[in-house]
């Protein structure tokens, strides 16, 4: 009788392990497109936990698009600084989502954030073709990690640009810097470049 319970327990644990492994989502490289809030200091009407700050502007934490929303990409070398820019092509089912968000936020800024670092913000205009660009600031490691989620249009060109290690130094807070706090006293996230 004890062996039956032990066998049932082992089978149940095995099934639970298989189910939990199959339900976990594949972790993607963090590439986010954040929309600017309509007011530069929204802390007066809501908690700062819903916003990131970059160069004095508030951006919503809920991204308009992530890497999972894109089907393919193409990179270009930026001749001014030797970094890469990237053109991302949205999956057909997310093109209307991108269009409605950009139409709603027209004239504000969209902040691309790659692995926690802010890239150059861009002015939002309605996107009807499902294409978003990051103009520069990416390196070969970023391209390699993006290619794990999004299919490169020209793999033979892209693979020559890949790097195994990220050569970019992580930004550090200046000494004596105090984090910005919202009206409840919670620290508000800041993004650096």
């Amino acid at each position: 009788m004890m062996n039956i319970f032990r066998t049932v327990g082992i089978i149940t644990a095995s099934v639970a392990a298989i189910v939990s492994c199959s339900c976990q989502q594949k972790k993607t490289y963090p590439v986010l497109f954040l929309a600017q809030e309509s007011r530069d200091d929204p802390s007066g009407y809501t908690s700062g936990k819903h916003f990131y700050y970059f160069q004095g502007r508030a951006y919503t934490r809920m991204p308009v698009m992530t890497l999972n929303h894109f089907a393919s990409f193409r990179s270009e070398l930026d001749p001014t600084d030797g970094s890469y820019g990237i053109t991302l092509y949205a999956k057909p089912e997310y093109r209307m989502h991108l269009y409605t968000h950009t139409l709603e936020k027209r004239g504000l800024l969209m902040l691309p954030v790659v692995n926690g670092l802010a890239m150059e913000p861009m002015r939002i205009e309605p996107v009807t073709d499902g294409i978003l660009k990051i103009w520069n600031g990416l390196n070969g490691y970023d391209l390699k990690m993006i290619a794990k989620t999004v299919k490169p249009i020209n793999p033979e060109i892209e693979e020559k640009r890949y790097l195994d290690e990220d050569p970019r130094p992580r930004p550090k807070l200046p000494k004596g810097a105090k984090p910005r706090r919202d009206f409840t006293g919670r620290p508000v996230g800041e993004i650096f470049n």
Side-chain angles (χ1 to χ4, degrees):
M1 187 71 166
M2 200 62 142
N3 287 338
I4 293 173
F5 288 123
R6 184 179 298 152
T7 305
V8 169
I10 291 171
I11 291 171
T12 306
S14 300
V15 169
I18 291 169
V19 169
S20 68
C21 288
S22 65
C23 291
Q24 291 178 354
Q25 290 186 345
K26 181 178 154 188
K27 188 169 172 87
T28 61
Y29 195 60
V31 176
L32 312 171
F33 289 88
L34 306 175
Q36 181 186 0
E37 261 307 302
S38 54
R39 290 180 16 182
D40 283 337
D41 186 16
S43 61
Y45 65 89
T46 188
S47 171
K49 71 179 182 178
H50 301 292
F51 301 96
Y52 285 123
Y53 285 93
F54 177 70
Q55 296 179 345
R57 291 190 174 96
Y59 294 87
T60 58
R61 279 188 190 250
M62 187 67 181
V64 174
M65 300 288 278
T66 67
L67 212 50
N68 292 326
H69 295 112
F70 296 99
S72 58
F73 78 94
R74 176 189 322 251
S75 68
E76 302 92 23
L77 182 64
D78 182 4
T80 59
D81 64 359
S83 67
Y84 295 104
I86 191 171
T87 304
L88 292 157
Y89 300 88
K91 294 176 182 174
E93 61 267 28
Y94 294 113
R95 287 183 182 164
M96 184 55 79
H97 167 82
L98 178 59
Y99 173 71
T100 55
H101 272 76
T102 54
L103 183 64
E104 178 183 302
K105 298 281 187 171
R106 169 187 262 164
L108 297 175
L109 296 176
M110 185 176 290
L111 180 68
V113 180
V114 179
N115 198 20
L117 296 174
M119 300 296 151
E120 183 180 338
M122 55 190 141
R123 184 85 39 210
I124 298 176
E125 289 299 323
V127 177
T128 57
D129 56 3
I131 297 174
L132 280 180
K133 287 185 77 91
I134 299 175
W135 293 102
N136 59 10
L138 301 176
N139 60 33
Y141 179 77
D142 296 323
L143 298 179
K144 179 181 179 180
M145 298 307 287
I146 289 169
K148 290 182 178 183
T149 305
V150 181
K151 184 180 108 190
I153 291 177
N154 299 318
E156 62 281 349
I157 294 172
E158 299 300 336
E159 289 173 5
K160 293 176 184 172
R161 298 176 172 172
Y162 294 164
L163 295 176
D164 290 331
E165 300 293 325
D166 189 356
R168 184 187 296 125
R170 304 302 295 170
K172 294 179 183 170
L173 279 174
K175 287 192 174 202
K178 295 183 180 177
R180 181 188 292 229
R181 298 189 177 274
D182 68 5
F183 67 95
T184 65
R186 244 186 246 114
V188 178
E190 291 212 44
I191 300 174
F192 302 94
N193 60 352

